[in-house]
Amino acid sequence: MNSYSYIDSPIGRLLLGTDGEVLVRIDMDVPSRRPRELESWASDAAAGPLPEVARQLDEYFAGRRRAFDLPLRLTGTEFQRRAWHSLMEIPYGETRSYGEQAKRIGNPNASRAVGLANGRNPIPIVVPCHRVIGADGSLTGFGGGIERKRWLLEHEGRSGGVRQLVLSAAAGASLGAGAEPSGGCEA
């Protein structure tokens, strides 16, 4: 049975969704009422992995967790799944450009497609699409809003903040890879 619950976080209220066995979604900017597409879902904070998801997210936001160990189901095209799995390889406190991500999945000319795939990431934060930035080091689009993206990057880069993360990513980025998409991870 599909179930959902809400948790409060430093970046606002989050909606967690499960099919009863695995985490299938995390939504940001959740309205006070249940989204229409969840009308057939049950509100149950104890369903499947939701208690563990909430615990691990709390630890992440408290600075006590750098990696998640949760059962996930990433539903999408083969390309989207490759892009999302590559996001999980970006270490805590580091960033990559869309072009770098495209190269890592074996398609160096697909930075725009990578941006579109990241924009459809159903499980942000756990699948860290916020760690992908523009080739020039800019904080490009993020479905949860640029301020949330900035907060997440600053949270992960406590020693130097987001500016250091952005500068190091810009220094390592291939500027000849073409324009970066303006879209980003959406929730």
Side-chain angles (χ1 to χ4, degrees), residues 150-187:
R150 182 181 324 280
W151 190 96
L152 291 166
L153 291 173
E154 287 177 351
H155 174 69
E156 292 184 7
R158 290 177 190 272
S159 62
V162 73
R163 181 163 172 72
Q164 180 179 340
L165 289 171
V166 169
L167 291 175
S168 64
S174 169
L175 296 177
E180 298 290 350
S182 62
C185 169
E186 291 186 11

PDB file of all heavy atoms in Angstrom, residues 150-187:
ATOM      1  N   ARG A 150      21.341  26.252  -1.910  1.00  0.00           N
ATOM      2  CA  ARG A 150      22.448  26.931  -1.231  1.00  0.00           C
ATOM      3  C   ARG A 150      22.575  26.414   0.208  1.00  0.00           C
ATOM      4  O   ARG A 150      23.669  26.117   0.666  1.00  0.00           O
ATOM      5  CB  ARG A 150      22.225  28.442  -1.231  1.00  0.00           C
ATOM      6  CG  ARG A 150      23.357  29.241  -0.572  1.00  0.00           C
ATOM      7  CD  ARG A 150      23.102  30.745  -0.569  1.00  0.00           C
ATOM      8  NE  ARG A 150      22.441  31.285  -1.726  1.00  0.00           N
ATOM      9  CZ  ARG A 150      23.039  31.570  -2.892  1.00  0.00           C
ATOM     10  NH1 ARG A 150      24.316  31.359  -3.024  1.00  0.00           N
ATOM     11  NH2 ARG A 150      22.351  32.066  -3.894  1.00  0.00           N
ATOM     12  N   TRP A 151      21.445  26.281   0.914  1.00  0.00           N
ATOM     13  CA  TRP A 151      21.483  25.800   2.290  1.00  0.00           C
ATOM     14  C   TRP A 151      22.084  24.397   2.346  1.00  0.00           C
ATOM     15  O   TRP A 151      22.947  24.123   3.193  1.00  0.00           O
ATOM     16  CB  TRP A 151      20.080  25.798   2.907  1.00  0.00           C
ATOM     17  CG  TRP A 151      20.119  25.542   4.380  1.00  0.00           C
ATOM     18  CD1 TRP A 151      20.104  26.475   5.372  1.00  0.00           C
ATOM     19  CD2 TRP A 151      20.219  24.261   5.042  1.00  0.00           C
ATOM     20  NE1 TRP A 151      20.189  25.851   6.603  1.00  0.00           N
ATOM     21  CE2 TRP A 151      20.262  24.495   6.426  1.00  0.00           C
ATOM     22  CE3 TRP A 151      20.279  22.948   4.586  1.00  0.00           C
ATOM     23  CZ2 TRP A 151      20.361  23.470   7.362  1.00  0.00           C
ATOM     24  CZ3 TRP A 151      20.386  21.913   5.521  1.00  0.00           C
ATOM     25  CH2 TRP A 151      20.423  22.188   6.890  1.00  0.00           C
ATOM     26  N   LEU A 152      21.633  23.500   1.473  1.00  0.00           N
ATOM     27  CA  LEU A 152      22.141  22.129   1.473  1.00  0.00           C
ATOM     28  C   LEU A 152      23.638  22.088   1.194  1.00  0.00           C
ATOM     29  O   LEU A 152      24.385  21.359   1.856  1.00  0.00           O
ATOM     30  CB  LEU A 152      21.376  21.275   0.449  1.00  0.00           C
ATOM     31  CG  LEU A 152      19.917  20.983   0.805  1.00  0.00           C
ATOM     32  CD1 LEU A 152      19.165  20.450  -0.406  1.00  0.00           C
ATOM     33  CD2 LEU A 152      19.819  20.023   1.980  1.00  0.00           C
ATOM     34  N   LEU A 153      24.100  22.870   0.225  1.00  0.00           N
ATOM     35  CA  LEU A 153      25.528  22.892  -0.092  1.00  0.00           C
ATOM     36  C   LEU A 153      26.338  23.504   1.050  1.00  0.00           C
ATOM     37  O   LEU A 153      27.416  23.000   1.386  1.00  0.00           O
ATOM     38  CB  LEU A 153      25.779  23.640  -1.397  1.00  0.00           C
ATOM     39  CG  LEU A 153      25.275  22.927  -2.657  1.00  0.00           C
ATOM     40  CD1 LEU A 153      25.423  23.819  -3.873  1.00  0.00           C
ATOM     41  CD2 LEU A 153      25.986  21.595  -2.862  1.00  0.00           C
ATOM     42  N   GLU A 154      25.836  24.560   1.659  1.00  0.00           N
ATOM     43  CA  GLU A 154      26.534  25.146   2.802  1.00  0.00           C
ATOM     44  C   GLU A 154      26.555  24.171   3.976  1.00  0.00           C
ATOM     45  O   GLU A 154      27.551  24.055   4.678  1.00  0.00           O
ATOM     46  CB  GLU A 154      25.903  26.481   3.202  1.00  0.00           C
ATOM     47  CG  GLU A 154      26.222  27.582   2.214  1.00  0.00           C
ATOM     48  CD  GLU A 154      25.554  28.906   2.544  1.00  0.00           C
ATOM     49  OE1 GLU A 154      24.697  28.951   3.460  1.00  0.00           O
ATOM     50  OE2 GLU A 154      25.884  29.891   1.865  1.00  0.00           O
ATOM     51  N   HIS A 155      25.456  23.471   4.169  1.00  0.00           N
ATOM     52  CA  HIS A 155      25.372  22.473   5.236  1.00  0.00           C
ATOM     53  C   HIS A 155      26.441  21.392   5.041  1.00  0.00           C
ATOM     54  O   HIS A 155      27.078  20.961   5.998  1.00  0.00           O
ATOM     55  CB  HIS A 155      23.966  21.852   5.236  1.00  0.00           C
ATOM     56  CG  HIS A 155      23.787  20.714   6.178  1.00  0.00           C
ATOM     57  ND1 HIS A 155      23.793  20.858   7.546  1.00  0.00           N
ATOM     58  CD2 HIS A 155      23.594  19.385   5.944  1.00  0.00           C
ATOM     59  CE1 HIS A 155      23.603  19.689   8.116  1.00  0.00           C
ATOM     60  NE2 HIS A 155      23.489  18.776   7.168  1.00  0.00           N
ATOM     61  N   GLU A 156      26.639  20.965   3.813  1.00  0.00           N
ATOM     62  CA  GLU A 156      27.612  19.915   3.529  1.00  0.00           C
ATOM     63  C   GLU A 156      29.042  20.442   3.459  1.00  0.00           C
ATOM     64  O   GLU A 156      29.980  19.665   3.605  1.00  0.00           O
ATOM     65  CB  GLU A 156      27.256  19.217   2.219  1.00  0.00           C
ATOM     66  CG  GLU A 156      25.982  18.426   2.325  1.00  0.00           C
ATOM     67  CD  GLU A 156      25.660  17.637   1.075  1.00  0.00           C
ATOM     68  OE1 GLU A 156      26.495  17.589   0.142  1.00  0.00           O
ATOM     69  OE2 GLU A 156      24.561  17.059   1.027  1.00  0.00           O
ATOM     70  N   GLY A 157      29.215  21.726   3.249  1.00  0.00           N
ATOM     71  CA  GLY A 157      30.551  22.288   3.145  1.00  0.00           C
ATOM     72  C   GLY A 157      30.859  23.204   4.296  1.00  0.00           C
ATOM     73  O   GLY A 157      31.324  24.315   4.107  1.00  0.00           O
ATOM     74  N   ARG A 158      30.590  22.753   5.493  1.00  0.00           N
ATOM     75  CA  ARG A 158      30.707  23.577   6.691  1.00  0.00           C
ATOM     76  C   ARG A 158      32.025  24.330   6.789  1.00  0.00           C
ATOM     77  O   ARG A 158      32.056  25.452   7.229  1.00  0.00           O
ATOM     78  CB  ARG A 158      30.547  22.716   7.935  1.00  0.00           C
ATOM     79  CG  ARG A 158      29.154  22.203   8.126  1.00  0.00           C
ATOM     80  CD  ARG A 158      29.117  21.298   9.354  1.00  0.00           C
ATOM     81  NE  ARG A 158      27.861  20.606   9.439  1.00  0.00           N
ATOM     82  CZ  ARG A 158      26.789  21.083  10.052  1.00  0.00           C
ATOM     83  NH1 ARG A 158      26.813  22.259  10.613  1.00  0.00           N
ATOM     84  NH2 ARG A 158      25.679  20.387  10.106  1.00  0.00           N
ATOM     85  N   SER A 159      33.121  23.721   6.353  1.00  0.00           N
ATOM     86  CA  SER A 159      34.417  24.368   6.556  1.00  0.00           C
ATOM     87  C   SER A 159      34.593  25.607   5.700  1.00  0.00           C
ATOM     88  O   SER A 159      35.169  26.579   6.153  1.00  0.00           O
ATOM     89  CB  SER A 159      35.554  23.376   6.282  1.00  0.00           C
ATOM     90  OG  SER A 159      35.493  22.946   4.937  1.00  0.00           O
ATOM     91  N   GLY A 160      34.124  25.585   4.466  1.00  0.00           N
ATOM     92  CA  GLY A 160      34.324  26.749   3.616  1.00  0.00           C
ATOM     93  C   GLY A 160      33.044  27.287   3.037  1.00  0.00           C
ATOM     94  O   GLY A 160      33.070  28.262   2.302  1.00  0.00           O
ATOM     95  N   GLY A 161      31.950  26.646   3.330  1.00  0.00           N
ATOM     96  CA  GLY A 161      30.684  27.113   2.805  1.00  0.00           C
ATOM     97  C   GLY A 161      30.538  26.834   1.322  1.00  0.00           C
ATOM     98  O   GLY A 161      31.389  26.235   0.681  1.00  0.00           O
ATOM     99  N   VAL A 162      29.437  27.276   0.792  1.00  0.00           N
ATOM    100  CA  VAL A 162      29.114  26.991  -0.596  1.00  0.00           C
ATOM    101  C   VAL A 162      30.084  27.661  -1.556  1.00  0.00           C
ATOM    102  O   VAL A 162      30.383  27.136  -2.605  1.00  0.00           O
ATOM    103  CB  VAL A 162      27.641  27.361  -0.895  1.00  0.00           C
ATOM    104  CG1 VAL A 162      27.445  28.855  -0.945  1.00  0.00           C
ATOM    105  CG2 VAL A 162      27.187  26.725  -2.190  1.00  0.00           C
ATOM    106  N   ARG A 163      30.620  28.804  -1.214  1.00  0.00           N
ATOM    107  CA  ARG A 163      31.540  29.482  -2.117  1.00  0.00           C
ATOM    108  C   ARG A 163      32.746  28.602  -2.430  1.00  0.00           C
ATOM    109  O   ARG A 163      33.153  28.484  -3.568  1.00  0.00           O
ATOM    110  CB  ARG A 163      31.988  30.821  -1.527  1.00  0.00           C
ATOM    111  CG  ARG A 163      32.936  31.571  -2.431  1.00  0.00           C
ATOM    112  CD  ARG A 163      33.019  33.034  -2.009  1.00  0.00           C
ATOM    113  NE  ARG A 163      34.035  33.738  -2.724  1.00  0.00           N
ATOM    114  CZ  ARG A 163      33.979  34.094  -4.001  1.00  0.00           C
ATOM    115  NH1 ARG A 163      32.920  33.794  -4.698  1.00  0.00           N
ATOM    116  NH2 ARG A 163      34.957  34.750  -4.567  1.00  0.00           N
ATOM    117  N   GLN A 164      33.304  27.944  -1.423  1.00  0.00           N
ATOM    118  CA  GLN A 164      34.445  27.066  -1.646  1.00  0.00           C
ATOM    119  C   GLN A 164      34.036  25.893  -2.536  1.00  0.00           C
ATOM    120  O   GLN A 164      34.770  25.510  -3.434  1.00  0.00           O
ATOM    121  CB  GLN A 164      34.984  26.559  -0.318  1.00  0.00           C
ATOM    122  CG  GLN A 164      36.182  25.628  -0.472  1.00  0.00           C
ATOM    123  CD  GLN A 164      36.698  25.171   0.874  1.00  0.00           C
ATOM    124  OE1 GLN A 164      36.429  25.786   1.898  1.00  0.00           O
ATOM    125  NE2 GLN A 164      37.431  24.089   0.882  1.00  0.00           N
ATOM    126  N   LEU A 165      32.871  25.298  -2.296  1.00  0.00           N
ATOM    127  CA  LEU A 165      32.405  24.189  -3.119  1.00  0.00           C
ATOM    128  C   LEU A 165      32.239  24.627  -4.562  1.00  0.00           C
ATOM    129  O   LEU A 165      32.645  23.941  -5.482  1.00  0.00           O
ATOM    130  CB  LEU A 165      31.057  23.669  -2.594  1.00  0.00           C
ATOM    131  CG  LEU A 165      31.066  22.914  -1.290  1.00  0.00           C
ATOM    132  CD1 LEU A 165      29.639  22.677  -0.822  1.00  0.00           C
ATOM    133  CD2 LEU A 165      31.791  21.601  -1.448  1.00  0.00           C
ATOM    134  N   VAL A 166      31.642  25.785  -4.762  1.00  0.00           N
ATOM    135  CA  VAL A 166      31.391  26.283  -6.111  1.00  0.00           C
ATOM    136  C   VAL A 166      32.704  26.596  -6.806  1.00  0.00           C
ATOM    137  O   VAL A 166      32.908  26.244  -7.960  1.00  0.00           O
ATOM    138  CB  VAL A 166      30.456  27.510  -6.060  1.00  0.00           C
ATOM    139  CG1 VAL A 166      30.394  28.203  -7.394  1.00  0.00           C
ATOM    140  CG2 VAL A 166      29.061  27.075  -5.626  1.00  0.00           C
ATOM    141  N   LEU A 167      33.638  27.237  -6.117  1.00  0.00           N
ATOM    142  CA  LEU A 167      34.920  27.576  -6.733  1.00  0.00           C
ATOM    143  C   LEU A 167      35.702  26.327  -7.104  1.00  0.00           C
ATOM    144  O   LEU A 167      36.290  26.257  -8.177  1.00  0.00           O
ATOM    145  CB  LEU A 167      35.738  28.469  -5.800  1.00  0.00           C
ATOM    146  CG  LEU A 167      35.199  29.884  -5.607  1.00  0.00           C
ATOM    147  CD1 LEU A 167      36.023  30.622  -4.557  1.00  0.00           C
ATOM    148  CD2 LEU A 167      35.184  30.655  -6.909  1.00  0.00           C
ATOM    149  N   SER A 168      35.698  25.304  -6.251  1.00  0.00           N
ATOM    150  CA  SER A 168      36.444  24.095  -6.575  1.00  0.00           C
ATOM    151  C   SER A 168      35.792  23.361  -7.744  1.00  0.00           C
ATOM    152  O   SER A 168      36.480  22.802  -8.579  1.00  0.00           O
ATOM    153  CB  SER A 168      36.560  23.180  -5.360  1.00  0.00           C
ATOM    154  OG  SER A 168      35.309  22.712  -4.950  1.00  0.00           O
ATOM    155  N   ALA A 169      34.476  23.379  -7.819  1.00  0.00           N
ATOM    156  CA  ALA A 169      33.809  22.729  -8.943  1.00  0.00           C
ATOM    157  C   ALA A 169      34.080  23.486 -10.236  1.00  0.00           C
ATOM    158  O   ALA A 169      34.308  22.887 -11.274  1.00  0.00           O
ATOM    159  CB  ALA A 169      32.303  22.656  -8.692  1.00  0.00           C
ATOM    160  N   ALA A 170      34.077  24.803 -10.176  1.00  0.00           N
ATOM    161  CA  ALA A 170      34.335  25.600 -11.365  1.00  0.00           C
ATOM    162  C   ALA A 170      35.762  25.381 -11.857  1.00  0.00           C
ATOM    163  O   ALA A 170      36.008  25.307 -13.062  1.00  0.00           O
ATOM    164  CB  ALA A 170      34.095  27.083 -11.078  1.00  0.00           C
ATOM    165  N   ALA A 171      36.702  25.229 -10.945  1.00  0.00           N
ATOM    166  CA  ALA A 171      38.095  25.021 -11.335  1.00  0.00           C
ATOM    167  C   ALA A 171      38.275  23.688 -12.046  1.00  0.00           C
ATOM    168  O   ALA A 171      39.075  23.572 -12.956  1.00  0.00           O
ATOM    169  CB  ALA A 171      38.997  25.088 -10.102  1.00  0.00           C
ATOM    170  N   GLY A 172      37.484  22.683 -11.666  1.00  0.00           N
ATOM    171  CA  GLY A 172      37.614  21.362 -12.271  1.00  0.00           C
ATOM    172  C   GLY A 172      36.672  21.118 -13.427  1.00  0.00           C
ATOM    173  O   GLY A 172      36.754  20.088 -14.086  1.00  0.00           O
ATOM    174  N   ALA A 173      35.784  22.045 -13.696  1.00  0.00           N
ATOM    175  CA  ALA A 173      34.781  21.835 -14.742  1.00  0.00           C
ATOM    176  C   ALA A 173      35.383  22.045 -16.123  1.00  0.00           C
ATOM    177  O   ALA A 173      36.291  22.822 -16.318  1.00  0.00           O
ATOM    178  CB  ALA A 173      33.610  22.797 -14.539  1.00  0.00           C
ATOM    179  N   SER A 174      34.830  21.344 -17.077  1.00  0.00           N
ATOM    180  CA  SER A 174      35.225  21.532 -18.470  1.00  0.00           C
ATOM    181  C   SER A 174      34.334  22.600 -19.064  1.00  0.00           C
ATOM    182  O   SER A 174      33.176  22.365 -19.355  1.00  0.00           O
ATOM    183  CB  SER A 174      35.062  20.210 -19.227  1.00  0.00           C
ATOM    184  OG  SER A 174      35.198  20.431 -20.602  1.00  0.00           O
ATOM    185  N   LEU A 175      34.882  23.790 -19.238  1.00  0.00           N
ATOM    186  CA  LEU A 175      34.070  24.893 -19.730  1.00  0.00           C
ATOM    187  C   LEU A 175      33.722  24.743 -21.193  1.00  0.00           C
ATOM    188  O   LEU A 175      32.821  25.396 -21.688  1.00  0.00           O
ATOM    189  CB  LEU A 175      34.795  26.220 -19.474  1.00  0.00           C
ATOM    190  CG  LEU A 175      34.987  26.551 -17.987  1.00  0.00           C
ATOM    191  CD1 LEU A 175      35.784  27.841 -17.849  1.00  0.00           C
ATOM    192  CD2 LEU A 175      33.667  26.651 -17.278  1.00  0.00           C
ATOM    193  N   GLY A 176      34.397  23.866 -21.905  1.00  0.00           N
ATOM    194  CA  GLY A 176      34.094  23.665 -23.324  1.00  0.00           C
ATOM    195  C   GLY A 176      32.970  22.693 -23.558  1.00  0.00           C
ATOM    196  O   GLY A 176      32.658  22.356 -24.678  1.00  0.00           O
ATOM    197  N   ALA A 177      32.338  22.214 -22.509  1.00  0.00           N
ATOM    198  CA  ALA A 177      31.298  21.198 -22.647  1.00  0.00           C
ATOM    199  C   ALA A 177      29.985  21.759 -23.154  1.00  0.00           C
ATOM    200  O   ALA A 177      29.062  21.023 -23.404  1.00  0.00           O
ATOM    201  CB  ALA A 177      31.067  20.514 -21.295  1.00  0.00           C
ATOM    202  N   GLY A 178      29.875  23.059 -23.317  1.00  0.00           N
ATOM    203  CA  GLY A 178      28.643  23.634 -23.805  1.00  0.00           C
ATOM    204  C   GLY A 178      27.842  24.242 -22.670  1.00  0.00           C
ATOM    205  O   GLY A 178      28.211  24.150 -21.510  1.00  0.00           O
ATOM    206  N   ALA A 179      26.740  24.821 -23.024  1.00  0.00           N
ATOM    207  CA  ALA A 179      25.903  25.497 -22.034  1.00  0.00           C
ATOM    208  C   ALA A 179      25.294  24.493 -21.077  1.00  0.00           C
ATOM    209  O   ALA A 179      24.938  23.382 -21.458  1.00  0.00           O
ATOM    210  CB  ALA A 179      24.796  26.285 -22.743  1.00  0.00           C
ATOM    211  N   GLU A 180      25.176  24.901 -19.855  1.00  0.00           N
ATOM    212  CA  GLU A 180      24.544  24.071 -18.841  1.00  0.00           C
ATOM    213  C   GLU A 180      23.064  24.384 -18.785  1.00  0.00           C
ATOM    214  O   GLU A 180      22.651  25.522 -19.005  1.00  0.00           O
ATOM    215  CB  GLU A 180      25.175  24.342 -17.476  1.00  0.00           C
ATOM    216  CG  GLU A 180      26.646  24.013 -17.409  1.00  0.00           C
ATOM    217  CD  GLU A 180      26.950  22.519 -17.463  1.00  0.00           C
ATOM    218  OE1 GLU A 180      26.022  21.707 -17.368  1.00  0.00           O
ATOM    219  OE2 GLU A 180      28.124  22.193 -17.601  1.00  0.00           O
ATOM    220  N   PRO A 181      22.236  23.406 -18.477  1.00  0.00           N
ATOM    221  CA  PRO A 181      20.811  23.669 -18.373  1.00  0.00           C
ATOM    222  C   PRO A 181      20.506  24.526 -17.162  1.00  0.00           C
ATOM    223  O   PRO A 181      21.237  24.516 -16.178  1.00  0.00           O
ATOM    224  CB  PRO A 181      20.217  22.264 -18.216  1.00  0.00           C
ATOM    225  CG  PRO A 181      21.333  21.444 -17.671  1.00  0.00           C
ATOM    226  CD  PRO A 181      22.608  22.036 -18.208  1.00  0.00           C
ATOM    227  N   SER A 182      19.425  25.269 -17.246  1.00  0.00           N
ATOM    228  CA  SER A 182      19.033  26.089 -16.105  1.00  0.00           C
ATOM    229  C   SER A 182      18.178  25.300 -15.132  1.00  0.00           C
ATOM    230  O   SER A 182      18.002  25.707 -14.015  1.00  0.00           O
ATOM    231  CB  SER A 182      18.281  27.331 -16.578  1.00  0.00           C
ATOM    232  OG  SER A 182      17.101  26.944 -17.242  1.00  0.00           O
ATOM    233  N   GLY A 183      17.642  24.194 -15.558  1.00  0.00           N
ATOM    234  CA  GLY A 183      16.830  23.377 -14.675  1.00  0.00           C
ATOM    235  C   GLY A 183      17.693  22.599 -13.726  1.00  0.00           C
ATOM    236  O   GLY A 183      18.900  22.491 -13.905  1.00  0.00           O
ATOM    237  N   GLY A 184      17.099  22.031 -12.719  1.00  0.00           N
ATOM    238  CA  GLY A 184      17.857  21.228 -11.775  1.00  0.00           C
ATOM    239  C   GLY A 184      16.956  20.275 -11.079  1.00  0.00           C
ATOM    240  O   GLY A 184      15.844  20.040 -11.519  1.00  0.00           O
ATOM    241  N   CYS A 185      17.425  19.696 -10.039  1.00  0.00           N
ATOM    242  CA  CYS A 185      16.687  18.720  -9.279  1.00  0.00           C
ATOM    243  C   CYS A 185      15.385  19.329  -8.795  1.00  0.00           C
ATOM    244  O   CYS A 185      15.365  20.359  -8.177  1.00  0.00           O
ATOM    245  CB  CYS A 185      17.548  18.297  -8.102  1.00  0.00           C
ATOM    246  SG  CYS A 185      16.727  17.332  -6.870  1.00  0.00           S
ATOM    247  N   GLU A 186      14.304  18.682  -9.093  1.00  0.00           N
ATOM    248  CA  GLU A 186      13.013  19.159  -8.621  1.00  0.00           C
ATOM    249  C   GLU A 186      12.453  18.161  -7.617  1.00  0.00           C
ATOM    250  O   GLU A 186      12.780  16.992  -7.648  1.00  0.00           O
ATOM    251  CB  GLU A 186      12.024  19.282  -9.777  1.00  0.00           C
ATOM    252  CG  GLU A 186      12.382  20.394 -10.704  1.00  0.00           C
ATOM    253  CD  GLU A 186      11.334  20.609 -11.762  1.00  0.00           C
ATOM    254  OE1 GLU A 186      10.239  20.057 -11.678  1.00  0.00           O
ATOM    255  OE2 GLU A 186      11.621  21.365 -12.678  1.00  0.00           O
ATOM    256  N   ALA A 187      11.636  18.669  -6.758  1.00  0.00           N
ATOM    257  CA  ALA A 187      11.001  17.795  -5.777  1.00  0.00           C
ATOM    258  C   ALA A 187       9.514  17.853  -5.934  1.00  0.00           C
ATOM    259  O   ALA A 187       8.968  18.721  -6.511  1.00  0.00           O
ATOM    260  CB  ALA A 187      11.374  18.238  -4.372  1.00  0.00           C
TER     261      ALA A 187
END
